[in-house]
Amino acid sequence: MFTRASIKRLLAVTALAVAALPLCAQTGGGRNNLPRNLFPPSLLPPPKLSAEEQATIDRALADLHSGNSEFRAGAVMLLGKYPVAQAQKAVIAALGDDSVRVRRAALVSVMEWNRGAPAEAVVPVLRTIGDEDVELRRTASAAIPAMMDVKRATEVLQPGTQFAVPADVQQTLMDAYLDEDVIVRRNLLTNYYYLNLPVSGDTFLALMSDEDAQVRLEAVGLAARFAEPASFNREARRWIENGSRIERLRLTRELALKPDAAQLELLRLLSQDEDDEIAAEALLGRFRSQGADAVFDELNSRLQAKRLKQEQALRFLQLLRQHPSRTPAHITTLTQLDDPILRREAVDLFFDLGYARDNPEQGVQFLADPSPEVRAAALRNYERQGANASPELLDTMLASPYPDVRQTLVFMTGTMQDKEAVEAILFDLLLDEEIAIRQQSLQEIAKRRLDGWEDILTASLEDEDPFIQRNAADLIIRTQMPGGPSALRQYIQHHPKSPLTPLIQIYLDKSAAGQSKETP
């Protein structure tokens, strides 16, 4: 009986195996060529070692007891090349060797295993983040994502397995946020959510004053989430007054996520920043949180004056869905913005908020926009109307100089009930200059069996365009058009060298054979 846990494990192992197939193919796919670093060692059978390989491992294990650290380091590097338990266990143990040289060799070997390292390596590697050697601390702290992935994979693929990071190692990791080395501090901050330890908010506040700019930037988001609010706000105000441009911008984005009353005041100060991008970010944060009219006016003014970056302008237009009260008075101006990407967003807003119902003439105008993205936004709305489309809309689309508009009109006829209107549209588009539109019109005519459809398909066999000829022949065959075989025979008589002729002949031969079997 499969349990949920066993099924989950089976799926995970299957996914890993599928991922390994291309590598197996490249190396011949033999047992010893399996890319073992893709799999947790506990899921794999031990590799088959030759007597010579086993002897090499035995000699390296013996060298680990040498009093010469160079011998021990060499042995560790050699053992790291063998994915067998006894070799890996020895390499992991060497992370605690008295010699820095040996410990470095051991950590290099573990890093080469990467996410294929055994679970037993996780805690020793994390403990190395507290090593006296700065190079080891740097390397081990950079390995946090890989080690935590090994931990998670082990817990998923071995149901019931839960291994906790010991308290002393947790403390080592929390202390490392204030490590004397900037690379270690950066690595710990960047990988905070991999560890998810109860680091004091005061630590992140302290790092907001770090000597390193990257550390300060990484710390501000964590301080905003975990530091005592009043303390964070004081530090944030210092950034507003004295911080660099990039620091003020990063702070603004963090404050805008979920500001309280005090942080809204900080955003108000930042909205007066001399830098347009920073001021706009602060205004957007306030508008999302409050929707205040004054903020709308300032953002709209900046939008019209092209003082918003495109991404900021898009967010402003998208936020109008949450705060639509001021939109009606400005919707026309918004849909006339110079940037087609912004116009498209404004046109989406026009239709989504229902303005097209009260201003149908304005909506139809979007079909004449020079931007295909803007036309597509309008066409998505009108394509849904189908049978409810007004005669004025249909006439506008039929006369459009843009193929995408006329092509959408063909699709819309599929749901229209007015037969005369459908015939007028499709017969007109049957003469369109775009081959794709003519093909789709021909298909709709045949599908709906409009008056004279058989004659239209027969005549289309003689069209000057080979795609139309092929389309007509295909429709004659698929619809089993009355008189179709006769029309096809006449075609192959007149066009013996046409690429269609052999295909049509095969169909006619099969059709004749089928009829002969039915005749007693």
Side-chain angles (χ1 to χ4, degrees):
M1 184 73 167
F2 284 112
T3 64
R4 178 177 296 182
S6 64
I7 292 174
K8 190 174 183 180
R9 179 179 180 178
L10 177 62
L11 290 174
V13 174
T14 302
L16 288 170
V18 171
L21 289 177
L23 293 178
C24 290
Q26 293 174 15
T27 56
R31 178 181 178 183
N32 288 331
N33 288 327
L34 186 68
R36 303 179 68 89
N37 62 327
L38 292 177
F39 298 84
S42 59
L43 294 178
L44 297 171
K48 186 177 180 180
L49 299 176
S50 66
E52 182 179 353
E53 288 173 324
Q54 186 60 58
T56 300
I57 291 175
D58 291 341
R59 285 195 299 271
L61 290 172
D63 285 344
L64 287 177
H65 299 289
S66 170
N68 187 320
S69 62
E70 290 299 320
F71 282 7
R72 299 200 304 277
V76 168
M77 295 298 289
L78 181 60
L79 290 169
K81 306 299 182 183
Y82 291 91
V84 293
Q86 61 180 158
Q88 291 184 331
K89 183 178 179 180
V91 170
I92 293 169
L95 288 169
D97 194 278
D98 292 338
S99 167
V100 170
R101 173 75 179 86
V102 176
R103 297 200 300 276
R104 286 183 179 180
L107 190 56
V108 168
S109 294
V110 175
M111 293 304 93
E112 288 178 351
W113 302 338
N114 198 10
R115 286 168 173 80
E120 293 77 11
V122 173
V123 170
V125 170
L126 295 180
R127 181 175 279 115
T128 304
I129 294 175
D131 196 279
E132 62 183 16
D133 180 66
V134 66
E135 292 300 326
L136 283 167
R137 298 202 304 277
R138 288 178 175 181
T139 303
S141 58
I144 289 173
M147 291 300 100
M148 299 312 289
D149 283 348
V150 170
K151 175 179 181 295
R152 278 192 290 270
T154 302
E155 292 172 344
V156 168
L157 299 175
Q158 296 181 1
T161 300
Q162 291 286 332
F163 77 77
V165 177
D168 67 310
V169 177
Q170 290 190 32
Q171 188 59 54
T172 294
L173 294 169
M174 289 189 286
D175 292 343
Y177 280 91
L178 298 177
D179 193 280
E180 63 183 19
D181 182 70
V182 64
I183 302 300
V184 176
R185 297 198 301 276
R186 288 179 184 176
N187 288 341
L188 266 293
L189 287 167
T190 301
N191 296 315
Y192 171 82
Y193 289 103
Y194 280 98
L195 298 171
N196 202 26
L197 294 172
V199 181
S200 169
D202 291 341
T203 296
F204 301 127
L205 280 177
L207 291 172
M208 284 181 66
S209 299
D210 195 272
E211 63 183 7
D212 181 71
Q214 185 175 335
V215 168
R216 296 196 299 272
L217 293 175
E218 292 290 346
V220 63
L222 295 168
R225 289 164 179 77
F226 302 115
E228 191 273 324
S231 299
F232 170 74
N233 292 340
R234 284 194 297 272
E235 189 65 17
R237 188 176 290 270
R238 186 183 65 79
W239 273 37
I240 294 172
E241 295 172 352
N242 303 311
S244 66
R245 177 190 179 278
I246 190 63
E247 287 173 344
R248 301 196 311 278
L249 181 59
R250 183 66 169 264
L251 174 64
T252 305
R253 289 171 174 165
E254 293 296 339
L255 290 172
L257 294 176
K258 195 175 181 181
D260 57 24
Q263 291 172 349
L264 282 171
E265 173 59 20
L266 295 177
L267 285 173
R268 187 191 66 78
L269 294 175
L270 286 163
S271 65
Q272 300 170 3
D273 196 281
E274 61 185 12
D275 185 279
D276 273 350
E277 185 177 4
I278 294 172
E281 284 294 326
L283 288 166
L284 286 166
R286 292 170 62 194
F287 186 59
R288 181 172 60 182
S289 179
Q290 297 176 302
D293 287 349
V295 177
F296 172 90
D297 291 338
E298 176 63 23
L299 280 168
N300 189 48
S301 174
R302 287 173 175 266
L303 174 65
Q304 300 300 331
K306 300 181 181 179
R307 293 177 60 194
L308 296 180
K309 296 176 74 69
Q310 185 187 72
E311 180 270 334
Q312 292 177 323
L314 278 173
R315 276 191 285 143
F316 173 49
L317 294 172
Q318 291 162 358
L319 285 171
L320 290 176
R321 287 174 168 79
Q322 301 175 25
H323 306 290
S325 61
R326 293 297 301 276
T327 309
H330 300 274
I331 191 64
T332 298
T333 305
L334 294 175
T335 58
Q336 295 173 350
L337 292 167
D338 291 339
D339 188 330
I341 301 299
L342 302 182
R343 283 206 311 281
R344 180 206 64 200
E345 191 66 35
V347 168
D348 275 336
L349 187 69
F350 178 88
F351 286 108
D352 291 348
L353 297 184
Y355 298 125
R357 290 190 296 270
D358 300 325
N359 303 278
E361 299 85 1
Q362 185 177 354
V364 172
Q365 292 175 5
F366 301 139
L367 298 177
D369 194 282
S371 166
E373 289 83 6
V374 174
R375 295 197 302 274
L379 288 170
R380 282 194 298 271
N381 174 78
Y382 289 128
E383 189 173 359
R384 293 192 294 265
Q385 292 190 12
N388 298 321
S390 68
E392 293 77 15
L393 172 62
L394 298 176
D395 289 343
T396 298
M397 296 180 72
L398 186 61
S400 173
Y402 297 112
D404 55 340
V405 176
R406 303 194 304 276
Q407 194 165 22
T408 300
L409 180 58
V410 177
F411 295 138
M412 290 171 60
T413 62
T415 57
M416 292 171 56
Q417 302 301 317
D418 187 338
K419 184 178 179 181
E420 291 185 3
V422 170
E423 288 181 344
I425 292 170
L426 292 178
F427 289 165
D428 195 321
L429 293 176
L430 196 58
L431 303 176
D432 199 275
E433 61 186 16
E434 294 290 328
I435 298 300
I437 294 176
R438 293 176 60 198
Q439 286 181 300
Q440 290 162 358
S441 299
L442 194 62
Q443 290 169 6
E444 280 296 323
I445 289 171
K447 177 182 175 181
R448 298 185 66 134
R449 305 293 201 273
L450 297 181
D451 292 343
W453 69 280
E454 301 100 325
D455 294 337
I456 291 173
L457 291 183
T458 300
S460 296
L461 286 172
E462 301 296 332
D463 194 277
E464 61 183 13
D465 187 90
F467 292 102
I468 297 295
Q469 295 176 17
R470 179 181 291 273
N471 197 28
D474 180 63
L475 289 169
I476 288 172
I477 293 171
R478 286 195 291 112
T479 60
Q480 297 184 344
M481 186 188 87
S486 176
L488 294 172
R489 280 193 292 271
Q490 188 173 3
Y491 175 84
I492 62 177
Q493 289 174 1
H494 293 164
H495 305 281
K497 295 183 179 181
S498 168
L500 286 178
T501 294
L503 301 176
I504 293 175
Q505 188 63 60
I506 292 173
Y507 165 74
L508 292 174
D509 291 345
K510 288 184 177 179
S511 179
Q515 290 178 357
S516 64
K517 289 182 180 180
E518 295 176 3
T519 303

